[in-house]
Amino acid sequence: MSANVEKTPHAAVILIIDDTPANVAMLADYLDDLGLRVVVAQDGEEGLGRAEFVKPDLILLDVMMPGMDGFETCRRLKMSEAVRDIPVIFMTALTDTQSVVKGFKVGGVDYVTKPVQIEEVWARVKTHLDLRAMHQQLTQQNQVLRQEMEIRLETEEALRKLSAEQQLLIAKLQAAHDQLLQSEKMASLGQLAAGIAHEINNPIGFVNSNMGSLQNYFETLFAALDACEQVVAESPNSTQIVARFAQVKEESEIDFLKQDIVDLMKESRDGLKRVKDIVQSLKDFSHVGEANWQDADLHHGLDSTLNIVNNEIKYKADVVKQYGQLPLVRCLASQLNQVFMNLLINAAHAIKERGTITVRTGVVNDWVWVEICDTGAGIPEDIMNRIFEPFFTTKPVGSGTGLGLSLSYGIVRKHGGRIEVRSELNKGSSFTVHLPVNPANPG
Ligand SMILES: Nc1ncnc2c1ncn2[C@@H]1O[C@H](COP(=O)(O)OP(=O)(O)OP(=O)(O)O)[C@@H](O)[C@H]1O
Ligand SMILES: [Mg+2]
């Protein structure tokens, strides 16, 4: 028996509810000897109170008691949150099936028959104490597992967040990389454009000058022809020659040629002028080798930028120019052209179907301003203070890097200037670039 005692959970508490003193005394002595703590109640009512107070590990409950019987006591025990998990073993003389079933029904875990055999009682008590200990251990382990699970879920959530942030960072890096590639591409395109512009410039130059000579030659030729006609008409006996002359003129359609050559020359000169303008715009825009500060005519920069982006905006908007009188501005002209380009393209993108982009300029004291107004979608209030953030874009993935305005902001700041924005939803936006005519510390 002593070996069993060692295995018993240390100082387990047993509540005996029984109205038979002899029975109680025998059980209490025996269990006490085994190192268990015993608490006694003499009826159901008292038993309920003790159970709530002591919270024993097991209850030995007599069935036949005056007042509240064992079954009712058990039913009431099971109704209490605090003690319902404590195993109850009935002690009963009623061993008919109905009574036994009733005992289990009201929540008993086992029963011993009266008069009790002390070894049997101990065997059952021990089994249920062990079961309860195991149950408690399992509950604790479950608790630990649940906590571990929660920690794991939290860790997983944190990892997921981290991974999402990393993805975002990778996407941003990719965008920055794309933007770098783009600006490298722009730079080499700029060089290419400037090279081509230079190459085209020469032939255009001599074609232009040849056109001038051709015009003179034609004028001389027609004047000579008119003079011949005059001479022939004035010579005596020239009727035949005059007729022949008229016939040749008629056959060669000289009058038509005279008029058409004038038209063709004019068209060709216009065409040449357009090619020259494009070449000039390409040169102005790329400004290759002009990383230096210079005194520039901003209208010139605006016009060449408009020429370059014309293709992008002509299907969306009519461009209205309202230029004021501007002094030359000390600036990095090619970089300011980039700013104008970003603002013009943003304006075109903001217009859904067709609208107007108005470019205004003016001067106040030592400052000039360039305003680019659109009749587009406008900027919602809640994103207004984010549009200059690098990578902020409302355009679909892949179509905007969100760097246009942040780069422009940087360039304008470098010039000691500022950009102001006004916008109204569904009416349009206007971006105004203010620049000092002579920045204090250029660069
Ligand atoms: N004129 C405008 N009208 C309405 N919204 C604008 C206008 N200009 C800028 N925005 C808003 O500001 C955001 C940021 O503009 P930004 O030029 O920096 O980047 P993006 O145009 O989206 O991309 P990209 O790098 O190709 O220029 C735009 O996505 C858009 O939501
Ligand atoms: Mg943009």
Side-chain angles (χ1 to χ4, degrees):
M1 192 59 68
S2 64
N4 279 345
V5 175
E6 273 161 31
K7 284 187 212 155
T8 308
H10 184 66
V13 181
I14 312 291
L15 169 62
I16 303 172
I17 308 174
D18 195 336
D19 64 324
T20 323
N23 201 29
V24 172
M26 178 187 65
L27 280 171
D29 283 352
Y30 187 80
L31 296 174
D32 198 51
D33 283 351
L34 290 173
L36 299 159
R37 269 184 59 210
V38 177
V39 178
V40 175
Q42 286 179 351
D43 57 40
E45 208 62 61
E46 191 187 345
L48 287 176
R50 293 260 152 105
E52 292 272 350
F53 184 69
V54 180
K55 309 246 166 34
D57 296 293
L58 189 137
I59 299 171
L60 282 170
L61 179 55
D62 187 19
V63 173
M64 307 278 274
M65 289 184 292
M68 195 191 306
D69 70 1
F71 294 139
E72 179 57 17
T73 309
C74 186
R75 210 180 55 77
R76 302 260 290 265
L77 282 168
K78 297 298 161 189
M79 275 163 51
S80 156
E81 183 78 35
V83 297
R84 70 154 55 111
D85 290 335
I86 302 171
V88 174
I89 299 178
F90 284 113
M91 298 181 289
T92 177
L94 306 172
T95 52
D96 59 297
T97 314
Q98 227 178 346
S99 301
V100 171
V101 168
K102 189 171 180 192
F104 285 121
K105 251 189 184 162
V106 293
V109 292
D110 211 343
Y111 70 98
V112 289
T113 47
K114 270 187 155 180
V116 295
Q117 297 298 313
I118 201 76
E119 283 81 7
E120 187 195 351
V121 174
W122 167 238
R124 292 191 193 269
V125 165
K126 183 170 179 330
T127 305
H128 287 288
L129 282 178
D130 286 349
L131 272 176
R132 179 167 161 77
M134 265 153 55
H135 183 257
Q136 280 172 338
Q137 205 177 347
L138 270 177
T139 312
Q140 271 172 8
Q141 278 172 354
N142 261 348
Q143 180 80 10
V144 171
L145 271 178
R146 226 192 323 270
Q147 278 168 355
E148 277 176 2
M149 191 64 119
E150 272 166 19
I151 292 174
R152 210 170 133 168
L153 284 176
E154 276 168 19
T155 316
E156 272 176 12
E157 182 58 30
L159 272 175
R160 226 191 324 273
K161 264 193 194 153
L162 208 66
S163 150
E165 277 166 16
Q166 271 176 353
Q167 289 299 327
L168 206 72
L169 213 62
I170 290 171
K172 283 182 174 181
L173 275 175
Q174 184 64 42
H177 183 238
D178 289 351
Q179 180 73 18
L180 266 179
L181 275 185
Q182 181 67 12
S183 34
E184 272 172 28
K185 217 161 67 184
M186 285 286 283
S188 47
L189 267 180
Q191 269 177 352
L192 188 73
I196 293 174
H198 181 76
E199 289 304 316
I200 293 178
N201 229 9
N202 279 342
I204 290 292
F206 63 72
V207 170
N208 200 35
S209 114
N210 288 355
M211 289 295 287
S213 306
L214 273 177
Q215 179 138 6
N216 282 340
Y217 295 168
F218 276 126
E219 279 164 11
T220 312
L221 265 178
F222 286 127
L225 208 60
D226 288 345
C228 287
E229 192 176 10
Q230 188 78 28
V231 171
V232 168
E234 284 167 5
S235 345
N237 309 321
S238 62
T239 341
Q240 243 184 341
I241 301 171
V242 170
R244 179 76 185 116
F245 203 93
Q247 190 192 1
V248 170
K249 248 182 100 179
E250 176 96 27
E251 281 170 4
S252 313
E253 298 183 86
I254 295 293
D255 289 335
F256 167 76
L257 287 187
K258 260 179 160 175
Q259 184 50 49
D260 207 33
I261 281 173
V262 171
D263 293 348
L264 290 180
M265 293 295 282
K266 185 175 177 310
E267 275 173 30
S268 304
R269 278 173 171 279
D270 287 350
L272 273 175
K273 180 166 184 318
R274 269 166 59 190
V275 176
K276 275 176 75 180
D277 285 350
I278 291 170
V279 166
Q280 192 54 44
S281 295
L282 281 175
K283 280 167 99 180
D284 289 348
F285 183 77
S286 56
H287 278 271
V288 171
E290 276 183 24
N292 295 329
W293 288 81
Q294 59 196 286
D295 293 318
D297 175 358
L298 295 192
H299 289 153
H300 206 69
L302 275 168
D303 288 340
S304 63
T305 308
L306 275 167
N307 266 338
I308 300 284
V309 297
N310 188 33
N311 235 8
E312 188 127 355
I313 55 183
K314 69 180 172 199
Y315 302 108
K316 285 290 200 65
D318 300 313
V319 176
V320 176
K321 292 192 223 173
Q322 294 176 351
Y323 290 173
Q325 292 281 331
L326 288 191
L328 295 182
V329 174
R330 187 129 197 96
C331 65
L332 296 165
S334 60
Q335 295 200 359
L336 285 186
N337 288 347
Q338 289 271 355
V339 174
F340 300 146
M341 184 170 83
N342 284 331
L343 296 181
L344 286 165
I345 290 180
N346 278 352
H349 284 171
I351 294 170
K352 279 201 193 75
E353 294 197 334
R354 194 149 188 98
T356 309
I357 297 176
T358 311
V359 185
R360 296 191 185 91
T361 63
V363 60
V364 180
N365 301 328
D366 289 341
W367 286 69
V368 295
W369 53 266
V370 175
E371 182 181 71
I372 292 170
C373 258
D374 64 64
T375 54
I379 305 169
E381 189 74 40
D382 56 330
I383 65 160
M384 188 55 122
N385 55 0
R386 300 200 55 199
I387 56 174
F388 289 100
E389 277 177 23
F391 306 113
F392 178 81
T393 180
T394 53
K395 291 170 189 167
V397 178
S399 50
T401 59
L403 284 170
L405 282 181
S406 68
L407 286 176
S408 304
Y409 181 84
I411 293 172
V412 172
R413 281 294 296 271
K414 192 152 69 177
H415 285 76
R418 62 181 197 279
I419 304 181
E420 281 169 8
V421 191
R422 276 176 290 121
S423 185
E424 207 175 324
L425 269 189
N426 303 320
K427 289 252 169 87
S429 314
S430 81
F431 285 74
T432 315
V433 178
H434 295 267
L435 295 165
V437 176
N438 280 303
N441 298 306

